Amino acid sequence: MKVLPDSAADLIARLLKRRGVTRVFALCGGHIMPIWMRLDAEGIRIVDVRDERAAVHMAQAHAELTGELGVALVTAGPGMTNAITGIANAHVSRAPVLVISGGNPRPQENRGGLQDMDHTQLVRSITRYARTVREPSLVLQELDEAIARAFGDGGEPGPVFIDFPVDTLRGIVPKALQLEEHLGPKPRAATRPDPAEVEKAVELLWSARRVLVISGRGARGAGPELIGLLDRLGAVYLDTGESRGLVPDDHPSVVGAMRGAVMGDADVVLTVGRKLDFQLAYGSPAVFKDAKFVRISDTASELRDNRRGAAEILASPAETLRAIVALAGNRESAVDRQWAAKLRAAHQERAAKLKQSMATAAPGSDGRLHPNRVLSAIQDAIGNDAVVITDGGDFLSFARVGLSAPLMLDPGPFGCIGIGVPYGIAASLAYPDKPVVVATGDGAFGFNAIEVDTAVRHKAPVLIVVANNGAWQIEVHDQSVTHGKVVGTRLQFADHAAMARAFGMHAERVETEEQLGPAIERALANRPALLDMVVTPEAVSSDAKTGLACVPDLQPLAAWGEAERKWRGS
């Protein structure tokens, strides 16, 4: 059936266009065909994928890198259930993603129709809003509400889900009900901070001797303000995977290589849009000792989780940081500049040693490349204006410290490996003029490897670098050390380059140092491209060494777990 203007599907496409959506990540199906065709009619690009999980991953990457709404369109039944991993990842990452689906015509509901199921019941716990809209005249206001919820209006930002019976999509909406108040774009409000809490924060920060600032997802729109605070206060700074690149590596406050030392040494810790989750030892006194916390976020969940702040400011991070600096005025900070300078010097020394050791990392006894040697060559080739996606378990541990760029994404707090290829495709479409590199382990690559076909068909200029060590290496290490036996964690040294070439992608298998530089140069010049880097499984990552695979009882890392046990018993 032809989909008419003024149908519900037509209004969905028109609303998305008015809200600035230029591309939708999708996999086709009959239950969503009316929306599909109207998106095309409105000139919205459809990036058709091979698996719905990848569509949602792409929508999330687009949202996180651009600050815009990410949109995924998936069909009913298995199309929607395939998308659930992507939705869950966006939920934990608090990313503004709109997932749209379809369903059986209303006269066929609950009668055993093809792919008939209650989608909203499946996703309600991992979305900010989940609705089935059966009345065409309600489509605009429901979409308007869903998008507002995705951006955190009235709560935490994150994915929203909305679906429509296919006959609803074909239904005509009277022009009188096509209200501009629902169609038009909505400005996002900036919440001003409470002056009393700002005053409290200034007193704590400017009186402290050892101030540590940690940023997260909520700080992404406040980069200049964050740098302004660091400059004025003289505090030291740790980035996280949620906000990599927000503060340049050459800023004098950056002390990332001293993460463990500074977390235990600070007397005041300022979190900006950052949960105190497992990556930060839950803010436990076992790790952070007697430090007081100052917490800033526009989302309550990033303000009160695990540790309460001596000052807590629920407001726009950018507005709040500006207010803090303004109120401090010319007041001299009490931060111990020698302490900060010593940490910075130690960070730079470690970073320089790491860079040198990476560039000269010797092959394993098996003759295969060291992962650090691969990462060093990639970093040299991409320069300082790239987008980098890191993915995997063992290889992520190397890449997390071995690569740096102004824009970076990783599997995030959900630990959702397999995001690399779809994130990289979305990033390269959003930033076609920048080098976009996916650095992924071979295990993680396998989850969405088929999306190399999507990259080729859509001419997405991404470079995918697969570190091929033939194993789930963190688990192999843990099994070997803890259990004395390796069970079900070996992979093949498969020829991923051959697979990519089968889909028409430029791809090479790299096995020696002599091949490394020229292959990267050719791949960057012929994107989309894939490099299958055969690396030694003998290299032991920091995450493998610290016991990430064994999952200690009290903390994610063995050393933190032991510190927690001692603190609890003291």
Side-chain angles (χ1 to χ4, degrees):
M1 284 179 251
K2 194 169 179 65
V3 190
L4 300 174
D6 295 321
S7 64
D10 178 57
L11 290 181
I12 292 168
R14 282 163 52 193
L15 182 145
L16 292 178
K17 187 172 184 179
R18 291 285 302 278
R19 300 299 176 93
V21 174
T22 58
R23 65 179 63 92
V24 169
F25 305 95
L27 204 162
C28 200
H31 295 95
I32 57 172
M33 190 63 75
I35 306 174
W36 192 282
M37 300 313 297
R38 294 314 301 173
L39 290 173
D40 180 70
E42 288 294 329
I44 295 175
R45 180 178 179 182
I46 296 173
V47 180
D48 56 305
V49 303
R50 298 294 300 273
D51 186 278
E52 288 85 359
R53 169 176 51 184
V56 183
H57 285 332
M58 291 180 193
Q60 177 179 341
H62 179 87
E64 297 211 51
L65 290 169
T66 67
E68 301 169 354
L69 180 71
V71 182
L73 176 62
V74 303
T75 197
M80 191 273 151
T81 59
N82 284 348
I84 285 179
T85 295
I87 296 171
N89 190 47
H91 162 69
V92 177
S93 297
R94 309 180 296 289
V97 172
L98 168 64
V99 181
I100 302 173
S101 188
N104 276 323
R106 286 168 289 179
Q108 298 184 43
E109 284 187 345
N110 301 317
R111 299 184 65 196
L114 176 67
Q115 300 177 342
D116 187 18
M117 83 174 18
D118 188 347
H119 299 146
T120 58
Q121 290 286 12
L122 289 174
V123 299
R124 188 155 280 133
S125 68
I126 53 172
T127 55
R128 306 298 179 266
Y129 192 76
R131 286 285 190 276
T132 296
V133 181
R134 293 177 169 83
E135 169 53 48
S137 63
L138 297 178
V139 163
L140 286 181
Q141 66 190 66
E142 287 283 2
L143 266 178
D144 185 26
E145 179 65 16
I147 293 170
R149 297 284 190 96
F151 281 112
D153 288 357
E156 188 176 50
V160 294
F161 175 84
I162 193 163
D163 70 347
F164 312 87
V166 71
D167 61 323
T168 298
L169 293 173
R170 293 191 284 258
I172 301 300
V173 179
K175 287 192 181 293
L177 297 179
Q178 299 177 26
L179 299 177
E180 173 63 25
E181 66 195 56
H182 293 140
L183 269 168
K186 304 295 188 293
R188 279 181 248 164
T191 311
R192 295 187 180 279
D194 179 348
E197 289 297 315
V198 171
E199 186 174 353
K200 196 184 298 182
V202 168
E203 185 59 35
L204 284 162
L205 293 169
W206 260 256
S207 298
R209 298 285 291 165
R210 302 180 303 280
V211 180
L212 168 62
V213 179
I214 306 174
S215 65
R217 177 210 63 85
R220 283 181 185 155
E225 291 80 8
L226 180 58
I227 292 170
L229 176 85
L230 293 170
D231 289 342
R232 182 70 185 80
L233 184 59
V236 297
Y237 171 76
L238 292 179
D239 64 13
T240 64
E242 295 186 352
S243 55
R244 281 291 298 272
L246 199 63
V247 176
D249 288 344
D250 60 1
H251 191 279
S253 291
V254 173
V255 294
M258 302 300 294
R259 187 175 302 268
V262 73
M263 284 169 63
D265 203 25
D267 55 9
V268 170
V269 178
L270 169 63
T271 65
V272 184
R274 186 62 165 88
K275 284 189 173 185
L276 289 169
D277 61 12
F278 74 96
Q279 297 169 332
L280 294 170
Y282 311 113
S284 172
V287 174
F288 284 92
K289 306 297 192 300
D290 296 324
K292 294 180 180 179
F293 284 81
V294 175
R295 309 204 62 184
I296 298 169
S297 180
D298 56 4
T299 300
S301 65
E302 296 170 349
L303 202 68
R304 297 189 294 268
D305 66 306
N306 291 312
R307 294 295 300 277
R308 298 300 299 259
E312 296 174 342
I313 305 177
L314 183 61
S316 161
E319 292 277 347
T320 302
L321 293 171
R322 278 197 295 268
I324 288 173
V325 171
L327 185 61
N330 294 323
R331 177 174 174 176
E332 186 174 348
S333 166
V335 167
D336 184 341
R337 303 289 173 149
Q338 287 187 328
W339 168 79
K342 185 178 179 181
L343 282 168
R344 174 63 180 175
H347 160 83
Q348 289 178 306
E349 182 180 354
R350 284 192 180 181
K353 284 182 179 178
L354 175 64
K355 185 175 181 179
Q356 175 63 26
S357 67
M358 287 176 62
T360 58
S365 64
D366 53 11
R368 297 183 175 113
L369 291 163
H370 194 287
N372 277 337
R373 184 69 185 87
V374 172
L375 292 167
S376 176
I378 295 169
Q379 187 68 64
D380 287 345
I382 62 176
N384 299 315
D385 190 30
V387 181
V388 170
I389 314 297
T390 55
D391 189 16
D394 195 66
F395 187 57
L396 175 65
S397 181
F398 290 106
R400 188 170 53 232
V401 296
L403 293 176
S404 180
L407 289 171
M408 295 187 73
L409 291 178
D410 63 22
F414 195 44
C416 188
I417 66 173
I419 52 83
V421 176
Y423 275 22
I425 291 170
S428 66
L429 293 173
Y431 296 99
D433 298 326
K434 293 180 183 289
V436 175
V437 176
V438 174
T440 178
D442 53 344
F445 172 68
F447 282 98
N448 285 294
I450 192 65
E451 300 302 333
V452 299
D453 174 59
T454 305
V456 172
R457 287 184 294 105
H458 288 276
K459 298 180 172 60
V462 61
L463 169 58
I464 302 163
V465 179
V466 182
N468 186 352
N469 63 7
W472 301 98
Q473 195 56 39
I474 286 181
E475 286 73 19
V476 167
H477 179 79
D478 178 59
Q479 288 178 343
S480 300
V481 172
T482 306
H483 305 284
K485 184 180 182 181
V486 176
V487 182
T489 52
R490 299 279 192 199
L491 300 172
Q492 301 181 59
F493 283 92
D495 192 340
H496 303 300
M499 185 201 76
R501 284 195 296 270
F503 286 100
M505 180 177 279
H506 174 92
E508 300 182 39
R509 189 171 173 92
V510 179
E511 299 180 276
T512 67
E513 290 189 14
E514 292 73 26
Q515 297 170 335
L516 195 54
I520 294 173
E521 185 177 349
R522 286 190 295 271
L524 285 170
N526 291 281
R527 290 172 287 158
L530 182 144
L531 293 175
D532 185 14
M533 302 283 193
V534 182
V535 298
T536 179
E538 296 172 10
V540 182
S541 69
S542 60
D543 282 349
K545 291 175 183 175
T546 52
L548 188 66
C550 70
V551 193
D553 291 343
L554 301 177
Q555 285 281 356
L557 301 180
W560 287 353
E562 183 58 29
E564 183 83 14
R565 194 179 306 280
K566 289 180 180 177
W567 173 70
R568 291 188 180 195
S570 64

